[in-house]
Amino acid sequence: MKHLVDCFVPYLSPEQAKPLLHAWNCLPLVRQTSLLCLPGSDVAEIPDTRLLNASKGLFSSDCMLQIARESHAEYCLLYTKTTPVTPEPYALERMVRVADDSQAALLYSDFYEIKNGELQAHPVNDYQEGSVRDDFQMGSLLLIRTELLRKYLDEAPETDYAFAGLYDLRLFLSRHGSIVHLDEFLYTEQEDDLRLSGEKNFDYVDPKNRQAQIEMEQACTEHLKKIQAYIAPESIRGICHEGDFPVEASVIIPVRNRARTIRDAIESALAQQTDFDYNVIVVDNHSTDGTTEIIRSLAAQKRVIHLIPEEGHLGIGGCWCLAVNHPQCGRFAVQLDSDDLYSRPDTLQTIVNTFRKEQAAMVIGSYRMTDFQLNTLPPGLIDHKEWTAENGHNNALRINGLGAPRAFFTPLLRELQIPNTSYGEDYALGLMFSRHYHIARIYTELYLCRRWEGNSDAALNITQTNKNNHYKDKLRTLEIKARQRENQR
């Protein structure tokens, strides 16, 4: 049988590398397995094994280029973890067969993972044009066509990335061929990150990851330029807030079955101190746990408008749509989730002042993560400082959210319309607004995001996580195509 694959696995010590070498060296398709010596590794001679210097990090440009130089078989198999991996029988043969048939630039598969000693299935999503976020989950086993690695070597990136090398390579491969997901469970790996889904959501805004995020933004921006989806900063425009409205601002609170939190949220909105009139529009999506009665008791105050949709199947976006198209909606529509609170009595005033000062179409503030007792949770303040006036509208395609609280110029929100979903509707709006209009940022704390067991995204299973991520990737795909059409004009 032809030796069609060169394998590359990370190396820390002979003890760590031994099971990885055993996993691949016994397979007939493997020509050679090379060890990538990571920073701090215990370098020792291993018979019949090449040791390559990966001192700049496994995900660096230097490591990717070295793999490209040392790949001589038809395919390169890269394993991106240091923990043991166990391929299923004939998994590599299957991967190579499908890569041949599909002419994939890169192929990845579903896998099993061992978490807390338990074997669990971990399916992953199909890759699409909008799968440009740097944390897109492919698993840790990647089969790459060597001729494209060579092409990447010939067109070596101008930037020497310490963190974004593999990400840059993946974007390159997506421009030069197809990235194929094989819906089969082909290997088992050890999963050491045991955090819940709600705890992982904010890794990209953790200050300790800032330098990596800067590199990821740079790689993504270059990719958008090469696929003609980049929006130049000079094309972003401000907006005049014309029109007659019953009040200057409306706080929008969609809610379903939040009897434990809805009173706090509404009272937080009513406590705002402003030099303008505002109201609070609560869209009660057919609650059954006593939420309706709490809202009704607070609606005796003239500022609270209690809406119950005629439809019984609206998502959060549909509830927002009902509120912003209501005749009592103000000039600016401002978000407040039913779990959360405004952290300051001048939050609403600060947002409206920012609209006026910057002629913004949308304003996004900063929030602090807390528990139910308002104690700060890591990573603390989420301020999205990765957003810049020069490139925030492009970087929005890479990250998984734009922050909170979000506020919109109501006529434009009515024009663009809001997706009737209960996940990602805010991200869809952020992408659409950012394509043409100025989005203003407030980097001081305005909002408290309370994490508790009742949060809808506190502990999602892999099926729901994949569904959510697929939807946001689809939104990015649609947005990329729209931006490409704009640039072609």
Side-chain angles (χ1 to χ4, degrees):
M1 182 176 288
K2 291 177 64 177
H3 297 313
L4 295 174
V5 180
D6 283 329
C7 295
F8 296 85
V9 298
Y11 171 84
L12 290 173
S13 68
E15 295 75 23
Q16 171 266 336
K18 185 176 179 181
L20 293 178
L21 289 170
H22 175 74
W24 304 116
N25 280 346
C26 62
L27 301 181
L29 283 185
V30 174
R31 189 185 74 90
Q32 185 170 18
T33 300
S34 300
L35 297 177
L36 302 165
C37 298
L38 301 180
S41 57
D42 178 18
V43 179
E45 287 291 330
I46 298 179
D48 303 318
T49 304
R50 259 188 325 180
L51 273 69
L52 303 178
N53 182 4
S55 60
K56 292 186 177 181
L58 181 61
F59 303 110
S60 66
S61 297
D62 182 74
C63 186
M64 295 305 108
L65 296 175
Q66 188 159 197
I67 290 171
R69 283 190 290 268
E70 299 297 334
S71 294
H72 301 287
E74 188 171 346
Y75 292 100
C76 156
L77 185 73
L78 173 61
Y79 182 57
T80 61
K81 283 190 168 184
T82 57
T83 51
V85 59
T86 304
E88 295 295 308
Y90 304 104
L92 190 55
E93 287 84 350
R94 178 64 175 153
M95 293 179 79
V96 169
R97 168 60 60 194
V98 175
D100 275 348
D101 289 345
S102 64
Q103 286 296 288
L106 184 156
L107 184 135
Y108 63 102
S109 75
D110 299 335
F111 58 96
Y112 296 107
E113 59 187 359
I114 301 173
K115 297 178 72 171
N116 291 322
E118 180 183 346
L119 185 69
Q120 301 179 14
H122 192 124
V124 293
N125 283 335
D126 288 346
Y127 200 87
Q128 52 184 305
E129 190 173 8
S131 301
V132 294
R133 56 192 171 91
D134 54 87
D135 63 347
F136 182 86
Q137 175 61 271
M138 290 182 169
S140 55
L141 210 55
L142 309 176
L143 187 71
I144 304 169
R145 188 171 294 275
T146 300
E147 65 178 286
L148 288 176
L149 270 178
R150 293 287 186 181
K151 186 175 179 65
Y152 183 70
L153 181 63
D154 292 340
E155 303 174 15
E158 297 177 4
T159 305
D160 183 13
Y161 294 117
F163 304 97
L166 179 57
Y167 176 53
D168 183 65
L169 172 60
R170 187 237 294 175
L171 295 176
F172 172 89
L173 294 172
S174 73
R175 296 193 300 270
H176 292 83
S178 58
I179 294 183
V180 175
H181 166 218
L182 180 54
D183 305 57
E184 300 170 18
F185 295 88
L186 295 184
Y187 60 98
T188 300
E189 65 177 39
Q190 181 76 40
E191 178 54 69
D192 297 325
D193 187 349
L194 303 179
R195 294 175 300 162
L196 299 176
S197 61
E199 298 173 304
K200 299 177 184 179
N201 286 344
F202 306 100
D203 286 352
Y204 68 101
V205 290
D206 192 323
K208 74 175 184 293
N209 298 326
R210 184 73 188 107
Q211 188 55 45
Q213 291 300 307
I214 290 172
E215 288 193 8
M216 301 295 183
E217 176 178 358
Q218 187 173 353
C220 183
T221 301
E222 290 304 312
H223 173 70
L224 293 176
K225 289 178 179 178
K226 288 172 180 173
I227 64 171
Q228 285 76 53
Y230 171 80
I231 300 290
E234 57 269 19
S235 67
I236 301 299
R237 60 184 183 270
I239 198 164
C240 182
H241 305 123
E242 297 176 332
D244 295 324
F245 298 87
V247 292
E248 190 68 358
S250 291
V251 176
I252 310 296
I253 308 177
V255 60
R256 177 177 172 83
N257 291 344
R258 286 292 185 268
R260 187 177 174 186
T261 61
I262 187 60
R263 182 181 296 275
D264 292 343
I266 295 174
E267 289 180 347
S268 166
L270 292 174
Q272 292 299 297
Q273 299 171 9
T274 66
D275 61 11
F276 52 81
D277 288 335
Y278 74 92
N279 58 29
V280 182
I281 303 178
V282 186
V283 185
D284 176 13
N285 200 7
H286 302 277
S287 296
T288 59
D289 68 341
T291 295
T292 300
E293 289 71 26
I294 296 171
I295 300 169
R296 192 173 290 136
S297 70
L298 293 168
Q301 304 185 49
K302 65 177 184 178
R303 273 189 169 150
V304 178
I305 300 169
H306 184 188
L307 303 180
I308 299 177
E310 293 182 10
E311 302 85 355
H313 53 269
L314 293 184
I316 292 173
C319 292
W320 257 85
C321 201
L322 180 65
V324 300
N325 285 284
H326 191 275
Q328 292 302 307
C329 188
R331 187 184 312 273
F332 304 113
V334 186
Q335 169 225 354
L336 179 57
D337 287 353
S338 58
D339 296 314
D340 301 334
L341 307 169
Y342 291 142
S343 62
R344 295 163 27 182
D346 66 342
T347 288
L348 205 53
Q349 184 73 57
T350 301
I351 289 171
V352 170
N353 288 349
T354 303
F355 269 115
R356 294 167 174 168
K357 180 180 178 181
E358 299 193 28
Q359 293 187 305
M362 180 177 176
V363 173
I364 308 176
S366 300
Y367 61 96
R368 179 163 52 93
M369 300 291 298
T370 76
D371 60 18
F372 203 76
Q373 289 71 43
L374 306 188
N375 300 306
T376 300
L377 296 175
L381 182 68
I382 309 295
D383 54 14
H384 284 274
K385 284 188 177 176
E386 80 283 346
W387 182 282
T388 63
E390 296 76 24
N391 203 46
H393 49 286
N394 291 305
N395 196 36
L397 284 162
R398 179 185 67 87
I399 59 178
N400 232 11
L402 300 185
R406 298 168 291 277
F408 310 89
F409 179 47
T410 297
L412 195 52
L413 192 55
R414 289 170 175 168
E415 177 186 330
L416 290 176
Q417 290 302 314
I418 306 161
N420 182 28
T421 67
S422 291
Y423 178 84
E425 74 291 336
D426 52 341
Y427 184 63
L429 288 171
L431 291 180
M432 288 189 288
F433 271 78
S434 70
R435 192 190 315 162
H436 296 125
Y437 301 108
H438 173 53
I439 296 179
R441 304 295 310 218
I442 300 171
Y443 296 112
T444 54
E445 179 192 309
L446 300 178
Y447 193 91
L448 299 177
C449 180
R450 295 193 291 184
R451 310 301 293 176
W452 61 297
E453 66 278 5
N455 285 128
S456 57
D457 61 350
L460 301 179
N461 60 36
I462 188 60
T463 301
Q464 188 61 50
T465 298
N466 282 347
K467 181 179 179 181
N468 289 348
N469 285 332
H470 173 80
Y471 179 60
K472 282 193 173 178
D473 284 349
K474 178 59 69 70
L475 292 174
R476 294 183 186 96
T477 297
L478 296 171
E479 184 63 24
I480 284 172
K481 292 184 181 302
R483 294 183 183 204
Q484 288 171 330
R485 286 195 299 273
E486 295 272 338
N487 287 332
Q488 287 169 0
R489 297 193 190 111

